[in-house]
Each structure stands twice: as C-alpha cells, then as structure tokens.
Amino acid sequence: MQDIFPHGETQVLNTDYKKLRMIDKIKNLSGEIEALKATTEKEIEELRIKYLSKKGEISQLFGEFRNVPNEMKREVGQLLNELKNSATDKINSLKGSMQAEASSGNDMDLTLPASPIKLGSRHPLSVVKNEIIDIFTRLGFTISEGPEVEDDWHVFSALNFPEEHPARDMQDTFFIEKNPDILLRTHTSSVQVRVMENEQPPIRTISPGRVFRNEAISARAHCIFHQVEGLYIDENVSFADLKQTLLYFAQEMFGKETQIRLRPSFFPFTEPSAEMDVTCNLCGGKGCNVCKYTGWLEILGCGMVDPNVLKSNNIDSEKYTGFAFGMGVERIAMLKFGVNDLRLFFENDVRFLDQFKAAY
Ligand code: PHE
C-alpha cells in the first residue's frame, strides 16, 4: 500500500507547524512585553510573576520547547533566550525609572539631623568700634552723632581751617558739584562742632562715624572709613589729662603692658598737636615687619583744642581748655586682629567675617 504521507513529509509538516506556533507565540509575547507599563512596585512585581516566574508565560514556553523537533531547537532556542533577556531587561528598566521618579520627588528623610542654622556675627569694625566706645564711656564720655553730608563750616571753618589754607588739602574732600559748600565729611570732628554749638562745658563726648576722603583704594587706605573722635572741654583740662586718658585707652585696647609715645604734629584745630604711637602689640616693641622694625605703631592724632576753635563756637577760651583726639577704626582693627589688608573689611566675604565669631 502506498503511503500518501511518507514518513518524511508528515514529519516536515509537523515540524513546521510546531515551529511556527512557537515563533508566533514568542513574537506575540515579545510585542506584549515591549509595551508593558507599570507605575507601582506592586504592578511591576505582578508583571515579573506573569512573565518570568517558574510558572510564568516564558517558563511555559521553555516547557513547550521540549517538543520542538531537534533540528529546530537551535533557532527557536535562540529566540526564546532573546525573549527571556528582553523581558528581564524590561522589568529592570521599569523598576529603574520608578526609583528615579521616586527620588526626584518626595525624597525627604525626616530622620536625618537638621542642618545647623548659620548665625551671623558682628562685623569686626563694629566689634572694635563698640570696644572703643565702651572704654571711653567708662571714663564718662557721651556718644554724639551727626550728618555724613556736611557743610564747609562744620568740617573746616569752625575748626580753624582758614579758607584757601593748604591744611584743607590734608584731607582730600568729596564736594557736591552744584554747591561746593556741601561736602562729605572728612572727619567726625564736625560732630564735635555741632556739640559745642548746642552745649556749654563741661563737654566730654566721642563721635563715632563714617567718613569720606578722595583717596585711592589700597591695602592701607579706602575712600570710606570709620573714625572715633573725642572732645573734652572743662576748666583746667591739661595736656597731662590728654596723655593719661589716651594711655588708659591704649592699655584697655591693646593690653596692660602697652606703652604710648606722643610725637609733635600739626592739626589746625589743636595746639599743641601730637600723633600717638603704641608699642607694637605683635612683637611687644622688639621690632617686626608690621611696625617696620621700629617697635611703635601710630594709632591716632590728638592735641589741646585751639582757642580759635572755642571762640568760633562761642565757648569762653579764657575760662575753658580742652583736648581732642581722633582715630581710624579700621587701623585699630587691623592692628588688633593682625589683618594686613584694609579692603577685607569692606568685601564682606563670610569666610573672613566668620573668623571674628569665636573671639566675640
Ligand atoms: N580730625 C583728625 C583727622 O581726621 C584727627 C584729630 C582729631 C586730630 C582731634 C587731633 C585732634 O585726621
């Protein structure tokens, strides 16, 4: 009897059929997996179980793989492995994008210690200014303040600077263009004029404040800086009082062992005038590069109030005498803290300012 389905043929049909079924299934699954979406961890885990667990759809295909005829195993096996790999990748990428989303959103960990609140601190110039004020208020000085934009009278004329006198050039002045009578004060002596206008002796006052001079900005000078000036007017005020007051100030500010020396100088509003040096607080007077190997540092100008100044301000110069002094706050701060560039005080870099926190 003739076999209409010789063994070989049947086998071929059978084989193609099985192979096609497997390949279709793999393709379908592969498309399905490619399109998977999930937003929660639970959903992703359900998909993993559906496709990749021991009883999952891909594992089932591996089970069916046993029935694939030997000669097809290579091709189908390769497709199956690819399917398994791409499904694993897909699940992992779903997990990855979910975690990325989670960390970009609500990632607050309430158990972490709070970051410390950064406290500000006083500016070193304020620290020094307050210390100067403290020292003089202990001696009974009051504090007086006045305007930064002043007139010629209070800054110069009332202080015995004659008009056109070269002494006016000692302090390079910013004038207001439209009215040269109005200017930015070059020293706070102007405040003392205002005090003398309004009060009769005894006067014992210091005037801290900001002053302006048309100077090139460098490590040692600035066009804006701060002063504390002092004025003491009473009966029988002598140069000895001036000297003792300033010695007390120097020792309170720089230490008990500090010595002072007074060198003759000139200011229009004082006669005699002097500049005061203190022993260098860095080398103790032995000599170093801060005091330029002299052992001394200049810190202020001073003198006995010129009778002309008292007269200009309607104070009886026969009855009263007085002394005055003036110092730069920046200069004292530089010497006290060992700061070698005055500009640092104005840059307000917190890394610089923070360093004065510990001390005060
Ligand atoms: N006013 C002077 C200055 O600014 C300082 C000073 C004040 C000098 C009082 C003597 C007396 O340079």
Side-chain angles (χ1 to χ4, degrees):
M1 200 173 113
Q2 203 184 355
D3 188 352
I4 48 163
F5 288 119
H7 180 73
E9 262 183 346
T10 316
Q11 195 62 37
V12 167
L13 276 177
N14 216 1
T15 304
D16 276 348
Y17 171 71
K18 281 185 177 160
K19 177 182 145 190
L20 284 175
R21 262 196 69 208
M22 274 297 267
I23 287 175
D24 275 350
K25 277 189 182 175
I26 291 171
K27 277 191 181 154
N28 285 345
L29 259 187
S30 161
E32 196 177 312
I33 287 169
E34 196 52 46
L36 286 181
K37 284 199 177 71
T39 46
T40 66
E41 215 161 320
K42 193 171 165 248
E43 282 171 5
I44 296 170
E45 181 56 12
E46 279 166 7
L47 292 177
R48 191 195 64 78
I49 291 168
K50 181 171 181 214
Y51 295 103
L52 287 165
S53 67
K54 272 190 186 155
K55 289 184 182 160
E57 296 192 18
I58 295 175
S59 308
Q60 278 177 25
L61 282 184
F62 272 101
E64 287 174 31
F65 181 70
R66 261 183 266 120
N67 303 328
V68 173
N70 282 344
E71 63 273 26
M72 296 296 155
K73 275 204 156 87
R74 205 178 126 92
E75 189 187 347
V76 176
Q78 201 175 348
L79 288 172
L80 255 182
N81 277 329
E82 280 170 16
L83 176 69
K84 191 182 171 188
N85 288 341
S86 65
T88 311
D89 287 350
K90 179 72 188 183
I91 297 285
N92 286 341
S93 89
L94 283 175
K95 275 186 195 162
S97 57
M98 196 200 71
Q99 276 161 5
E101 216 161 272
S103 66
S104 71
N106 187 8
D107 58 351
M108 220 197 294
D109 181 351
L110 295 174
T111 64
L112 285 174
S115 46
I117 297 168
K118 228 173 171 320
L119 281 180
S121 56
R122 270 201 201 292
H123 193 283
L125 292 180
S126 299
V127 170
V128 169
K129 183 192 75 180
N130 290 344
E131 210 174 327
I132 299 171
I133 290 174
D134 258 17
I135 295 169
F136 284 105
T137 47
R138 288 205 287 278
L139 292 174
F141 282 76
T142 60
I143 298 162
S144 42
E145 289 184 323
E148 293 178 353
V149 180
E150 263 292 7
D151 53 27
D152 180 277
W153 172 258
H154 291 92
V155 176
F156 295 125
S157 298
L159 289 162
N160 199 34
F161 285 86
E163 253 175 65
E164 310 294 331
H165 193 281
R168 292 191 179 219
D169 292 342
M170 285 166 74
Q171 304 176 354
D172 211 341
T173 310
F174 288 114
F175 293 95
I176 306 298
E177 226 168 21
K178 284 190 180 146
N179 182 356
D181 191 46
I182 307 295
L183 44 93
L184 298 180
R185 68 181 180 194
T186 54
H187 53 182
T188 56
S189 302
S190 54
V191 180
Q192 304 178 344
V193 174
R194 289 182 177 276
V195 172
M196 288 187 275
E197 275 170 358
N198 296 315
E199 289 173 32
Q200 278 296 311
I203 291 170
R204 212 176 338 176
T205 191
I206 50 169
S207 34
R210 188 157 48 174
V211 298
F212 309 84
R213 290 184 197 178
N214 187 11
E215 278 179 39
I217 296 169
S218 72
R220 299 173 60 86
H222 208 287
C223 55
I224 301 175
F225 60 100
H226 300 81
Q227 280 189 328
V228 178
E229 297 219 358
L231 177 71
Y232 184 13
I233 303 172
D234 203 349
E235 287 176 48
N236 301 319
V237 176
S238 71
F239 201 90
D241 296 320
L242 164 68
K243 202 173 165 185
Q244 191 55 38
T245 304
L246 294 180
L247 176 64
Y248 174 78
F249 164 73
Q251 293 186 337
E252 289 293 293
M253 181 53 92
F254 294 107
K256 285 279 170 269
E257 62 299 334
T258 308
Q259 295 297 305
I260 62 167
R261 86 179 173 185
L262 292 160
R263 284 178 289 102
S265 184
F266 171 77
F267 299 102
F269 35 89
T270 46
E271 184 59 37
S273 304
E275 267 162 292
M276 187 177 96
D277 298 342
V278 291
T279 40
C280 178
N281 63 323
L282 294 174
C283 63
K286 286 193 205 77
C288 66
N289 62 355
V290 173
C291 62
K292 299 203 190 84
Y293 301 95
T294 61
W296 295 98
L297 298 163
E298 185 199 318
I299 62 160
L300 56 80
C302 59
M304 300 307 291
V305 179
D306 192 304
N308 284 343
V309 173
L310 298 177
K311 280 178 208 150
S312 300
N313 292 289
N314 299 321
I315 291 174
D316 185 348
S317 62
E318 297 296 325
K319 190 174 173 195
Y320 296 109
T321 51
F323 68 74
F325 57 87
M327 66 189 91
V329 178
E330 282 77 3
R331 175 143 182 89
I332 308 270
M334 284 172 85
L335 298 174
K336 203 172 161 63
F337 297 133
V339 173
N340 59 9
D341 193 326
L342 187 146
R343 289 167 291 197
L344 288 164
F345 291 125
F346 300 100
E347 281 164 5
N348 285 332
D349 184 328
V350 283
R351 291 167 302 181
F352 173 73
L353 298 179
D354 264 355
Q355 297 176 51
F356 302 91
K357 220 183 240 174
Y360 293 91

PDB file of all heavy atoms in Angstrom, residues 69-86:
ATOM      1  N   PRO A  69      11.090  19.876  17.473  1.00  0.00           N
ATOM      2  CA  PRO A  69      11.987  18.873  16.874  1.00  0.00           C
ATOM      3  C   PRO A  69      13.448  19.335  16.956  1.00  0.00           C
ATOM      4  O   PRO A  69      13.714  20.537  16.903  1.00  0.00           O
ATOM      5  CB  PRO A  69      11.533  18.837  15.411  1.00  0.00           C
ATOM      6  CG  PRO A  69      10.227  19.533  15.362  1.00  0.00           C
ATOM      7  CD  PRO A  69      10.108  20.397  16.545  1.00  0.00           C
ATOM      8  N   ASN A  70      14.285  18.368  17.075  1.00  0.00           N
ATOM      9  CA  ASN A  70      15.703  18.652  17.298  1.00  0.00           C
ATOM     10  C   ASN A  70      16.284  19.660  16.331  1.00  0.00           C
ATOM     11  O   ASN A  70      16.990  20.575  16.738  1.00  0.00           O
ATOM     12  CB  ASN A  70      16.516  17.358  17.207  1.00  0.00           C
ATOM     13  CG  ASN A  70      16.363  16.583  18.506  1.00  0.00           C
ATOM     14  OD1 ASN A  70      15.921  17.174  19.510  1.00  0.00           O
ATOM     15  ND2 ASN A  70      16.686  15.309  18.479  1.00  0.00           N
ATOM     16  N   GLU A  71      15.954  19.485  15.024  1.00  0.00           N
ATOM     17  CA  GLU A  71      16.602  20.340  14.029  1.00  0.00           C
ATOM     18  C   GLU A  71      16.157  21.809  14.125  1.00  0.00           C
ATOM     19  O   GLU A  71      16.758  22.694  13.572  1.00  0.00           O
ATOM     20  CB  GLU A  71      16.376  19.807  12.589  1.00  0.00           C
ATOM     21  CG  GLU A  71      14.941  19.778  12.149  1.00  0.00           C
ATOM     22  CD  GLU A  71      14.220  18.479  12.543  1.00  0.00           C
ATOM     23  OE1 GLU A  71      14.635  17.847  13.530  1.00  0.00           O
ATOM     24  OE2 GLU A  71      13.237  18.133  11.853  1.00  0.00           O
ATOM     25  N   MET A  72      15.049  22.054  14.849  1.00  0.00           N
ATOM     26  CA  MET A  72      14.556  23.430  15.024  1.00  0.00           C
ATOM     27  C   MET A  72      15.011  24.052  16.346  1.00  0.00           C
ATOM     28  O   MET A  72      14.808  25.232  16.604  1.00  0.00           O
ATOM     29  CB  MET A  72      13.014  23.439  15.003  1.00  0.00           C
ATOM     30  CG  MET A  72      12.436  23.017  13.690  1.00  0.00           C
ATOM     31  SD  MET A  72      12.922  24.215  12.434  1.00  0.00           S
ATOM     32  CE  MET A  72      12.819  23.210  10.981  1.00  0.00           C
ATOM     33  N   LYS A  73      15.524  23.210  17.210  1.00  0.00           N
ATOM     34  CA  LYS A  73      15.803  23.657  18.581  1.00  0.00           C
ATOM     35  C   LYS A  73      16.738  24.868  18.621  1.00  0.00           C
ATOM     36  O   LYS A  73      16.578  25.786  19.401  1.00  0.00           O
ATOM     37  CB  LYS A  73      16.409  22.504  19.392  1.00  0.00           C
ATOM     38  CG  LYS A  73      15.345  21.603  19.992  1.00  0.00           C
ATOM     39  CD  LYS A  73      15.881  20.876  21.217  1.00  0.00           C
ATOM     40  CE  LYS A  73      14.771  20.463  22.146  1.00  0.00           C
ATOM     41  NZ  LYS A  73      14.182  19.143  21.798  1.00  0.00           N
ATOM     42  N   ARG A  74      17.714  24.844  17.733  1.00  0.00           N
ATOM     43  CA  ARG A  74      18.726  25.907  17.734  1.00  0.00           C
ATOM     44  C   ARG A  74      18.078  27.278  17.497  1.00  0.00           C
ATOM     45  O   ARG A  74      18.233  28.208  18.288  1.00  0.00           O
ATOM     46  CB  ARG A  74      19.732  25.618  16.615  1.00  0.00           C
ATOM     47  CG  ARG A  74      21.070  26.210  16.851  1.00  0.00           C
ATOM     48  CD  ARG A  74      21.952  25.781  15.688  1.00  0.00           C
ATOM     49  NE  ARG A  74      22.526  26.974  15.092  1.00  0.00           N
ATOM     50  CZ  ARG A  74      23.699  27.455  15.476  1.00  0.00           C
ATOM     51  NH1 ARG A  74      24.387  26.838  16.398  1.00  0.00           N
ATOM     52  NH2 ARG A  74      24.167  28.529  14.914  1.00  0.00           N
ATOM     53  N   GLU A  75      17.273  27.338  16.401  1.00  0.00           N
ATOM     54  CA  GLU A  75      16.657  28.615  16.018  1.00  0.00           C
ATOM     55  C   GLU A  75      15.668  29.082  17.081  1.00  0.00           C
ATOM     56  O   GLU A  75      15.721  30.234  17.561  1.00  0.00           O
ATOM     57  CB  GLU A  75      15.914  28.434  14.695  1.00  0.00           C
ATOM     58  CG  GLU A  75      15.438  29.728  14.107  1.00  0.00           C
ATOM     59  CD  GLU A  75      14.549  29.484  12.863  1.00  0.00           C
ATOM     60  OE1 GLU A  75      14.531  28.320  12.361  1.00  0.00           O
ATOM     61  OE2 GLU A  75      13.896  30.439  12.425  1.00  0.00           O
ATOM     62  N   VAL A  76      14.750  28.156  17.475  1.00  0.00           N
ATOM     63  CA  VAL A  76      13.710  28.528  18.440  1.00  0.00           C
ATOM     64  C   VAL A  76      14.328  28.855  19.802  1.00  0.00           C
ATOM     65  O   VAL A  76      13.959  29.832  20.476  1.00  0.00           O
ATOM     66  CB  VAL A  76      12.653  27.410  18.552  1.00  0.00           C
ATOM     67  CG1 VAL A  76      11.628  27.751  19.631  1.00  0.00           C
ATOM     68  CG2 VAL A  76      11.956  27.211  17.222  1.00  0.00           C
ATOM     69  N   GLY A  77      15.343  28.058  20.167  1.00  0.00           N
ATOM     70  CA  GLY A  77      16.009  28.272  21.458  1.00  0.00           C
ATOM     71  C   GLY A  77      16.609  29.678  21.546  1.00  0.00           C
ATOM     72  O   GLY A  77      16.486  30.358  22.564  1.00  0.00           O
ATOM     73  N   GLN A  78      17.195  30.056  20.442  1.00  0.00           N
ATOM     74  CA  GLN A  78      17.813  31.392  20.419  1.00  0.00           C
ATOM     75  C   GLN A  78      16.754  32.480  20.625  1.00  0.00           C
ATOM     76  O   GLN A  78      16.934  33.393  21.430  1.00  0.00           O
ATOM     77  CB  GLN A  78      18.491  31.589  19.067  1.00  0.00           C
ATOM     78  CG  GLN A  78      19.533  32.657  19.112  1.00  0.00           C
ATOM     79  CD  GLN A  78      20.271  32.728  17.756  1.00  0.00           C
ATOM     80  OE1 GLN A  78      20.132  31.853  16.903  1.00  0.00           O
ATOM     81  NE2 GLN A  78      21.050  33.748  17.601  1.00  0.00           N
ATOM     82  N   LEU A  79      15.614  32.332  19.896  1.00  0.00           N
ATOM     83  CA  LEU A  79      14.533  33.321  20.036  1.00  0.00           C
ATOM     84  C   LEU A  79      13.998  33.360  21.465  1.00  0.00           C
ATOM     85  O   LEU A  79      13.713  34.417  22.027  1.00  0.00           O
ATOM     86  CB  LEU A  79      13.397  33.010  19.060  1.00  0.00           C
ATOM     87  CG  LEU A  79      13.704  33.291  17.593  1.00  0.00           C
ATOM     88  CD1 LEU A  79      12.585  32.764  16.694  1.00  0.00           C
ATOM     89  CD2 LEU A  79      13.887  34.796  17.372  1.00  0.00           C
ATOM     90  N   LEU A  80      13.858  32.146  22.050  1.00  0.00           N
ATOM     91  CA  LEU A  80      13.341  32.064  23.426  1.00  0.00           C
ATOM     92  C   LEU A  80      14.269  32.775  24.407  1.00  0.00           C
ATOM     93  O   LEU A  80      13.831  33.537  25.268  1.00  0.00           O
ATOM     94  CB  LEU A  80      13.221  30.599  23.833  1.00  0.00           C
ATOM     95  CG  LEU A  80      11.807  30.008  23.862  1.00  0.00           C
ATOM     96  CD1 LEU A  80      11.873  28.557  24.341  1.00  0.00           C
ATOM     97  CD2 LEU A  80      10.886  30.825  24.760  1.00  0.00           C
ATOM     98  N   ASN A  81      15.564  32.523  24.230  1.00  0.00           N
ATOM     99  CA  ASN A  81      16.533  33.178  25.125  1.00  0.00           C
ATOM    100  C   ASN A  81      16.474  34.696  24.982  1.00  0.00           C
ATOM    101  O   ASN A  81      16.518  35.422  25.970  1.00  0.00           O
ATOM    102  CB  ASN A  81      17.946  32.678  24.839  1.00  0.00           C
ATOM    103  CG  ASN A  81      18.203  31.367  25.572  1.00  0.00           C
ATOM    104  OD1 ASN A  81      17.635  31.143  26.653  1.00  0.00           O
ATOM    105  ND2 ASN A  81      19.025  30.507  24.986  1.00  0.00           N
ATOM    106  N   GLU A  82      16.357  35.144  23.720  1.00  0.00           N
ATOM    107  CA  GLU A  82      16.255  36.582  23.498  1.00  0.00           C
ATOM    108  C   GLU A  82      15.023  37.153  24.185  1.00  0.00           C
ATOM    109  O   GLU A  82      15.064  38.222  24.796  1.00  0.00           O
ATOM    110  CB  GLU A  82      16.195  36.900  21.990  1.00  0.00           C
ATOM    111  CG  GLU A  82      17.564  36.881  21.338  1.00  0.00           C
ATOM    112  CD  GLU A  82      17.488  36.950  19.807  1.00  0.00           C
ATOM    113  OE1 GLU A  82      16.416  37.303  19.273  1.00  0.00           O
ATOM    114  OE2 GLU A  82      18.516  36.639  19.182  1.00  0.00           O
ATOM    115  N   LEU A  83      13.903  36.396  24.076  1.00  0.00           N
ATOM    116  CA  LEU A  83      12.663  36.841  24.712  1.00  0.00           C
ATOM    117  C   LEU A  83      12.847  36.963  26.221  1.00  0.00           C
ATOM    118  O   LEU A  83      12.471  37.971  26.847  1.00  0.00           O
ATOM    119  CB  LEU A  83      11.523  35.855  24.407  1.00  0.00           C
ATOM    120  CG  LEU A  83      10.203  36.173  25.105  1.00  0.00           C
ATOM    121  CD1 LEU A  83       9.580  37.442  24.519  1.00  0.00           C
ATOM    122  CD2 LEU A  83       9.214  35.012  24.984  1.00  0.00           C
ATOM    123  N   LYS A  84      13.481  35.954  26.794  1.00  0.00           N
ATOM    124  CA  LYS A  84      13.676  35.973  28.251  1.00  0.00           C
ATOM    125  C   LYS A  84      14.547  37.170  28.661  1.00  0.00           C
ATOM    126  O   LYS A  84      14.230  37.887  29.608  1.00  0.00           O
ATOM    127  CB  LYS A  84      14.340  34.672  28.699  1.00  0.00           C
ATOM    128  CG  LYS A  84      14.311  34.519  30.203  1.00  0.00           C
ATOM    129  CD  LYS A  84      15.013  33.262  30.650  1.00  0.00           C
ATOM    130  CE  LYS A  84      15.126  33.290  32.163  1.00  0.00           C
ATOM    131  NZ  LYS A  84      15.967  32.185  32.628  1.00  0.00           N
ATOM    132  N   ASN A  85      15.632  37.380  27.897  1.00  0.00           N
ATOM    133  CA  ASN A  85      16.520  38.503  28.226  1.00  0.00           C
ATOM    134  C   ASN A  85      15.818  39.847  28.103  1.00  0.00           C
ATOM    135  O   ASN A  85      15.946  40.706  28.973  1.00  0.00           O
ATOM    136  CB  ASN A  85      17.747  38.504  27.308  1.00  0.00           C
ATOM    137  CG  ASN A  85      18.678  37.362  27.663  1.00  0.00           C
ATOM    138  OD1 ASN A  85      18.592  36.818  28.766  1.00  0.00           O
ATOM    139  ND2 ASN A  85      19.539  36.973  26.740  1.00  0.00           N
ATOM    140  N   SER A  86      15.045  40.001  26.989  1.00  0.00           N
ATOM    141  CA  SER A  86      14.423  41.311  26.822  1.00  0.00           C
ATOM    142  C   SER A  86      13.337  41.536  27.866  1.00  0.00           C
ATOM    143  O   SER A  86      13.120  42.657  28.320  1.00  0.00           O
ATOM    144  CB  SER A  86      13.905  41.513  25.396  1.00  0.00           C
ATOM    145  OG  SER A  86      12.875  40.611  25.151  1.00  0.00           O
TER     146      SER A  86
END
